[in-house]
Amino acid sequence: MQFFLRNSDFTGLNVTIPYKKDVMPFLDEVDDLARRLGSVNTIVKRSDGTLYGDNTDIDGFTWLLERNGGIEKGQKALVLGSGGASLTVQAVLEKKGAECVVVSRNGENNYVNYHKHADATLLVNASPVGMYPNNVECLIDLSLLPNLKCVVRYGVGVDNVDIPAATRHGVAVCNVPDYSVHEVAAHAFAMMLALTRKLKLMEYINILKEI
């Protein structure tokens, strides 16, 4: 990984699971929020060859959540997975005052006892379950979560949740591909523009420091 990052010809790249945590030691500088989250999804190679890491996932998930009704303070959300994507989801939900419960294979809250949180109103799949080659793997029975109002498939394992069952139970299902290409592209461009401006400002500050 270090050889690739240092020797490949790129200006910027996106980082996906399972590397969002692993890349951090190889970066020269990491945004403060990304460091606190322990997760990087965007790397920019500066003109001097140094690598800068940031996390735009937090903006992306906030947008996705708000476009689908959001969550009220005090409501419970189940987050499937405990990796880098999950950390971002947890940060957004906790900022909104939601009670966040992480479900993982080996955690205190797992795929055997998740139904004890039947009062959850939001379910977010931030796990790799349902990804290739186990595309049909499904570990959640929505009939055990009768208070769900929305299921968010956060760009990872899409089949962890039985989507037809969600529809039958009247639960809204949202996913980035559910939106038009123009809608998603416009939001992504806005985030990239903001990141570019931030990096330019940081470069100017560094120049001033050297004067």
Side-chain angles (χ1 to χ4, degrees):
M1 184 183 301
Q2 183 176 16
F3 179 85
F4 170 79
L5 291 173
R6 292 297 177 186
N7 296 280
S8 298
D9 184 19
F10 66 86
T11 302
L13 55 82
N14 180 255
V15 184
T16 187
I17 57 172
Y19 303 110
K20 294 185 179 186
K21 294 180 179 180
D22 297 345
V23 298
M24 294 183 67
F26 307 119
L27 304 179
D28 298 293
E29 186 177 355
V30 176
D31 173 74
D32 289 340
L33 177 59
R35 188 173 297 283
R36 290 199 300 272
L37 289 173
S39 175
V40 163
N41 82 315
T42 303
I43 297 175
V44 174
K45 182 176 286 188
R46 293 163 165 164
S47 56
D48 62 359
T50 57
L51 299 175
Y52 174 81
D54 206 334
N55 189 314
T56 60
D57 280 339
I58 200 162
D59 294 321
F61 179 71
T62 299
W63 176 78
L64 184 63
L65 184 64
E66 291 176 350
R67 289 300 302 269
N68 290 276
I71 189 168
E72 296 180 11
K73 184 177 180 179
Q75 289 186 328
K76 181 179 288 186
L78 293 184
V79 180
L80 309 183
S82 56
S86 174
L87 293 174
T88 299
V89 171
Q90 292 174 55
V92 173
L93 294 174
E94 289 169 0
K95 185 176 181 179
K96 291 184 175 296
E99 180 184 353
C100 194
V101 177
V102 177
V103 177
S104 60
R105 291 184 185 271
N106 302 310
E108 177 184 352
N109 299 293
N110 50 61
Y111 293 106
V112 175
N113 65 13
Y114 66 88
H115 53 81
K116 67 182 181 181
H117 299 287
D119 55 335
T121 60
L122 174 69
L123 176 66
V124 183
N125 182 18
S127 79
V129 177
M131 291 186 69
Y132 180 86
N134 301 310
N135 304 68
V136 296
E137 189 173 24
C138 181
L139 302 178
I140 298 295
D141 181 352
L142 292 180
S143 67
L144 300 178
L145 301 170
N147 292 296
L148 282 184
K149 296 180 180 178
C150 183
V151 172
V152 178
R153 300 183 295 167
Y154 190 47
V156 282
V158 298
D159 292 319
N160 195 359
V161 179
D162 187 343
I163 302 307
T167 303
R168 289 196 301 272
H169 287 83
V171 178
V173 179
C174 58
N175 187 29
V176 170
D178 294 335
Y179 299 97
S180 70
V181 172
H182 299 293
E183 203 171 9
V184 176
H187 182 71
F189 178 75
M191 287 195 296
M192 286 190 294
L193 185 60
L195 177 58
T196 300
R197 286 173 175 170
K198 182 169 73 172
L199 288 174
K200 287 294 184 183
L201 178 60
M202 291 170 64
E203 288 183 2
Y204 290 146
I205 291 174
N206 289 333
I207 291 173
L208 290 174
K209 287 181 179 178
E210 295 175 358
I211 296 177

